[in-house]
Amino acid sequence: MRILRRSQYSAEENRVRIFVDGEPIRAIAGETVATALLANGFTVFRISPRKQAPRVPFCFMGACQECVVRIDGHLMQSCMTPVKGGMRIERLMSEQSGD
Amino acid sequence: MTDFTEYDVVVIGGGPAGLVASVAASETGGRVLLIDGGIAGGGQVYRNSGMPEHSVYDKYSSEKVAGDALRHRLASSNVEQSFQSTVWKVTRDRRVFTIGPAGKRNVIAGSLIVATGARERVIPFDGWTLPGVIGVGAAINFLKADWAVPSGRTVIAGVGPLLYAAATKILDLGGKVAAIADLSTPYEWCRRLPAMLNRIDLLWQGAKWIAAIRRRGVPIYHQHTVVAAEGDDCLSRVHLAPLRQDRQGEPTASISIDADCICVGHGLQPNTEITRLIGARHCYVPDQGGWIPVRDDRGQTTIPHVFVAGDVAGIRGATVAELEGEQVGLTAGEAAGLEVDQALQQKYAAGRHALNRSLRFGWAIAGVMRPRLALLDAIGPDTLICRCEEVTRSEIETATREAVDLNWVKRLTRCGMGPCQGRYCGDTVGMLLSRCSGKSIAELGYWTSRDPLFPIEIGIAVGDTGYEAIALPTPLPG
């Protein structure tokens, strides 16, 4: 799914650079990492272990764990984590990457 | 051996109940700690954004005003605060284990207040794990946190006032709402009207939401539910069907809508993982969200010096949470040996009257959001019940032939063993087991809660323990 940002704060000068699976993307400092990914067209956050199905955030409040990604080396809920410039984010796209 | 910092009162959860409880407790002069997983106080209902305030939408939001007032109260208090922190273990003797940006922080409380609020309940339907299907609360949360709306055509489905709140907010920010499918009937709301008159202001707000939605030509389908979400890698089409409460058998889809997003929610359920972990007694009250901790009139659970406040103690809304938080903050402080003088009692006395008025309204709304067994009819045999471990309805029903409770179902199928730890499948499994066994949900019980309460890195739980710490038994002679 995709998301549209509606804040006036999303102007050019408020953007920071973060990396998603090595790719540099422009995010807004302080928005959630989950929104940064969804707004930049990342339509898959993880692949489910049993049926290999694509998944994205579901509850957006830290309960469902669908939005978990690796942020600067630590597994964290992207829906509850604000973006900081320079963050390195990796998605859990294969069965092994949850280790 | 871990060090535990002592506090008179520790509050877990910084939503309206917890935030206000911590402030009230700190006014006795005691040492109070507030722990929350978010970036600031307010919980989900008054969730703040991590971005500075530039949005035009901001100014008109009554929730932003209310949330800012609470955050200001907290900032002006002596409460110690631990934000972006996860509570992963709590013990009966009130030790609280947390992990946050500054690392591990373990504390011990004279009195513990659990104010962990509620999460959404979503009863499954075919395709509900497709990208594009999110909770109603989820849409409202990323709207509040990031001023963002779902892109494309959005269908909002389920039950409760949140459907209309979400629709209004999405439309206000320029999103597209293609339809609303509301399970409830106008009769259910009319029956509760006398109770809701206690909060004319909220009733009026609801009426304005519905008027605004109708003005935009958004169709509202009453007594309809989502029976299927269709799409390849993401949602493209939604199928709705009428769902009568007394009907048996599968509802047939009557309305199909092209959609990019479904926001779905079937009510709210209390986050009782901590109160169940420490062994407090719970009872099943569907009209208040399901399983809730048994408590006395001071908010104390069956575990001494452990109190609850807000939606975790029964779904009653933000105003009740705030007012109850005040009262529980004082009684928890007293239980920890702190002095609640005349002046402080007087200050919060007015709140008790307001609390009773708001309670009647809160109960009425929670009743509409109760779990609805009829929704089981919309779940096909291959529909996933457990999102995390991908367990289907037919696998669970096979297990119910043997299982006597939910934990047995879990052992047989892995349902509930995934990262969400049964938070999203628990209610549905209870309903299925009840239907298959003929026993009531109250008799069947719920999952056994275990620590860690959330997935954490194993190093945090293990700490500095190494192999040399394991006592090896001496070998037998010969």
Side-chain angles (χ1 to χ4, degrees):
Chain A
M1 68 169 269
R2 291 178 141 269
I3 226 174
L4 289 175
R5 293 185 187 105
R6 282 302 191 225
S7 165
Q8 290 171 359
Y9 190 61
S10 57
E12 269 314 310
E13 65 263 22
N14 303 320
R15 304 231 167 177
V16 294
R17 192 166 67 160
I18 64 174
F19 300 88
V20 180
D21 296 337
E23 187 188 325
I25 67 161
R26 279 173 328 167
I28 308 171
E31 70 178 347
T32 62
V33 170
T35 289
L37 265 60
L38 288 167
N40 277 280
F42 288 91
T43 50
V44 180
F45 275 55
R46 72 181 187 99
I47 298 293
S48 69
R50 194 180 179 198
K51 302 207 190 269
Q52 306 289 291
R55 297 289 182 91
V56 296
F58 181 70
C59 77
F60 234 90
M61 53 175 289
C64 74
Q65 314 300 313
E66 295 273 17
C67 71
V68 170
V69 290
R70 197 169 272 115
I71 298 176
D72 293 334
H74 295 282
L75 291 174
M76 297 174 75
Q77 297 154 351
S78 57
C79 72
M80 298 288 280
T81 312
V83 161
K84 281 201 197 100
M87 256 180 175
R88 306 201 81 92
I89 292 148
E90 288 156 53
R91 296 178 293 164
L92 306 179
M93 297 298 267
S94 76
E95 247 182 273
Q96 280 74 48
S97 59
D99 295 336
Chain B
M1 197 58 222
T2 342
D3 289 323
F4 292 88
T5 314
E6 286 178 26
Y7 285 88
D8 295 305
V9 180
V10 173
V11 182
I12 303 177
L19 187 156
V20 171
S22 69
V23 170
S26 75
E27 286 176 358
T28 61
R31 206 174 163 203
V32 179
L33 174 68
L34 175 66
I35 307 167
D36 186 76
I39 53 175
Q44 298 308 314
V45 64
Y46 299 134
R47 184 164 173 174
N48 207 19
S49 171
M51 301 183 283
E53 287 133 45
H54 282 253
S55 165
V56 169
Y57 178 75
D58 234 19
K59 279 209 265 296
Y60 297 123
S61 165
S62 60
E63 280 164 341
K64 184 78 167 78
V65 170
D68 284 348
L70 286 181
R71 286 181 279 271
H72 180 75
R73 262 171 99 174
L74 183 63
S76 318
S77 74
N78 290 325
V79 175
E80 283 180 53
Q81 298 158 40
S82 189
F83 283 106
Q84 287 200 270
S85 299
T86 300
V87 171
W88 64 271
K89 177 172 169 169
V90 182
T91 60
R92 248 179 121 98
D93 61 348
R94 303 178 305 281
R95 287 170 199 274
V96 181
F97 297 70
T98 82
I99 182 75
K104 285 195 274 196
R105 185 176 186 172
N106 299 329
V107 301
I108 183 162
S111 279
L112 180 64
I113 302 177
V114 177
T116 45
R119 62 178 178 276
E120 201 138 40
R121 171 187 304 112
V122 179
I123 305 300
F125 47 85
D126 192 33
W128 73 301
T129 53
L130 270 174
V133 182
I134 59 175
V136 173
I140 297 177
N141 290 342
F142 64 68
L143 195 141
K144 287 176 186 167
D146 303 322
W147 297 311
V149 292
S151 166
R153 291 164 57 82
T154 304
V155 170
I156 301 177
V159 75
L162 286 174
L163 302 189
Y164 300 95
T168 311
K169 291 172 199 291
I170 291 172
L171 288 167
D172 277 352
L173 278 195
K176 296 194 224 29
V177 179
I180 297 175
D182 186 343
L183 262 182
S184 69
T185 65
Y187 169 68
E188 287 183 62
W189 288 97
C190 288
R191 244 187 62 209
R192 292 174 167 85
L193 200 55
M196 286 164 62
L197 288 171
N198 278 280
R199 291 297 307 275
I200 283 274
D201 56 323
L202 292 178
L203 203 54
W204 182 232
Q205 181 185 65
K208 282 200 289 192
W209 286 340
I210 294 176
I213 290 161
R214 288 200 188 283
R215 261 203 311 273
R216 305 280 202 108
V218 177
I220 303 175
Y221 301 104
H222 286 283
Q223 282 193 278
H224 273 69
T225 191
V226 179
V227 290
E230 195 194 303
D232 295 316
D233 286 328
C234 63
L235 180 72
S236 59
R237 213 158 158 73
V238 178
H239 302 280
L240 306 177
L243 190 78
R244 303 276 181 270
Q245 301 302 314
D246 51 358
R247 250 172 65 148
Q248 297 297 310
E250 241 173 271
T252 21
S254 56
I255 299 161
S256 296
I257 303 174
D258 287 335
D260 305 290
C261 177
I262 305 175
C263 303
V264 57
H266 300 120
L268 299 174
Q269 45 179 329
N271 290 320
T272 54
E273 284 68 40
I274 291 174
T275 46
R276 285 182 291 111
L277 178 65
I278 59 175
R281 197 146 42 94
H282 290 70
C283 54
Y284 185 67
V285 186
D287 274 9
Q288 287 191 45
W291 289 99
I292 57 175
V294 168
R295 69 205 187 280
D296 63 22
D297 54 12
R298 292 157 66 235
Q300 185 167 227
T301 64
T302 54
I303 306 294
H305 291 218
V306 177
F307 296 79
V308 283
D311 274 359
V312 69
I315 308 299
R316 291 150 307 150
T319 313
V320 168
E322 204 181 310
L323 296 168
E324 188 170 69
E326 283 175 356
Q327 306 301 321
V328 173
L330 293 182
T331 57
E334 260 180 331
L338 300 170
E339 201 206 318
V340 180
D341 62 22
Q342 263 300 69
L344 207 48
Q345 293 275 16
Q346 271 302 100
K347 180 177 179 187
Y348 289 115
R352 253 170 263 139
H353 298 291
L355 176 58
N356 291 326
R357 264 190 22 245
S358 285
L359 266 171
R360 294 200 66 204
F361 181 89
W363 282 328
I365 300 287
V368 174
M369 293 198 291
R370 70 191 181 282
R372 294 172 185 243
L373 262 65
L375 284 169
L376 291 183
D377 295 334
I379 307 177
D382 296 322
T383 302
L384 296 182
I385 303 296
C386 171
R387 297 178 65 96
C388 301
E389 294 290 321
E390 300 176 279
V391 183
T392 64
R393 175 176 185 160
S394 64
E395 286 169 320
I396 290 179
E397 284 181 332
T398 304
T400 60
R401 289 188 218 136
E402 219 186 296
V404 296
D405 60 21
L406 275 76
N407 300 302
W408 205 308
V409 171
K410 178 177 179 178
R411 272 175 233 126
L412 290 173
T413 64
R414 292 195 62 82
C415 178
M417 286 190 185
C420 94
Q421 298 170 280
R423 285 174 170 88
Y424 279 88
C425 55
D427 266 18
T428 312
V429 175
M431 283 157 65
L432 282 172
L433 188 55
S434 173
R435 194 181 259 196
C436 296
S437 67
K439 294 207 188 113
S440 71
I441 292 172
E443 282 176 82
L444 291 167
Y446 198 62
W447 308 122
T448 299
S449 183
R450 298 239 182 255
D451 71 84
L453 293 159
F454 288 96
I456 55 168
E457 291 174 346
I458 197 158
I460 295 157
V462 167
D464 299 320
T465 311
Y467 280 109
E468 60 279 1
I470 302 171
L472 293 171
T474 34
L476 292 172

